[in-house]
Amino acid sequence: MHRALIDIVGVMNEPERDAEMLRAAGLSLERALFPLLVSIERLGPVGVVEIAGRVGRDYTTVSRQVARLEELGLVKRRASAADKRVKEAQITPRGKVATDAIDAAREKMAEQLFRDWAQQDFEELVRLVCMLADGMSR
């Protein structure tokens, strides 16, 4: 199972796959920025340190990249309600349009990948992967 997970993560992290997804989404976003944009949309408002931990990058790098997303109008930053020293990133309406396009592209790619699977097998895979993700999150 460990080998299969390593293989899956390896394929998911291929730069070509990210570039393909961005093309399919109709976005001309720097490839390094899109995982951050998606993370901010899913988790936001969220601090840079948390995002950095989730994507496995240095927080100073992520801070610069989030600033770039802000320049593009895809996210906005604000002081945290819990700690005014912490800046949190939050998706903007324009950023939400972009993540919706990414989700649609990802859905089309998944449809191709699972097109020959029985519906019951696909549903069981989703159930089990969700169970794995929940267990790993604890």
Side-chain angles (χ1 to χ4, degrees):
M1 181 168 93
H2 186 257
R3 180 184 164 99
L5 290 172
I6 296 272
D7 290 346
I8 290 167
V9 170
V11 169
M12 291 180 74
N13 286 332
E14 290 175 351
E16 299 82 22
R17 183 172 292 283
D18 291 349
E20 178 185 344
M21 189 174 315
L22 287 169
R23 272 192 306 278
L27 299 174
S28 58
L29 188 65
E30 298 164 46
R31 189 188 67 75
L33 298 180
F34 111 82
L36 301 177
L37 180 64
V38 171
S39 294
I40 292 166
E41 191 267 331
R42 301 297 192 268
L43 304 169
V46 61
V48 170
V49 172
E50 183 177 348
I51 298 168
R54 287 181 174 263
V55 298
R57 297 182 195 161
D58 179 78
Y59 79 92
T60 58
T61 300
V62 171
S63 181
R64 285 191 305 273
Q65 292 170 329
V66 170
R68 179 71 180 128
L69 288 169
E70 188 173 33
E71 289 170 10
L72 295 170
L74 301 172
V75 303
K76 62 182 176 182
R77 292 191 287 182
R78 64 173 194 191
S80 167
D83 184 344
K84 300 296 182 201
R85 298 170 297 171
V86 174
K87 287 274 195 168
E88 293 179 326
Q90 183 175 3
I91 199 83
T92 63
R94 184 174 176 191
K96 181 67 171 127
V97 168
T99 58
D100 287 349
I102 291 168
D103 289 344
R106 186 176 280 132
E107 183 77 24
K108 284 183 182 178
M109 291 171 81
E111 285 173 5
Q112 289 299 310
L113 179 63
F114 296 111
R115 69 177 174 260
D116 296 330
W117 284 45
Q119 184 65 31
Q120 181 179 347
D121 291 342
F122 176 74
E123 289 170 3
E124 183 69 0
L125 174 67
V126 170
R127 185 184 73 75
L128 293 171
V129 169
C130 288
M131 186 186 301
L132 175 63
D134 289 345
M136 291 177 76
S137 294
R138 287 188 226 138

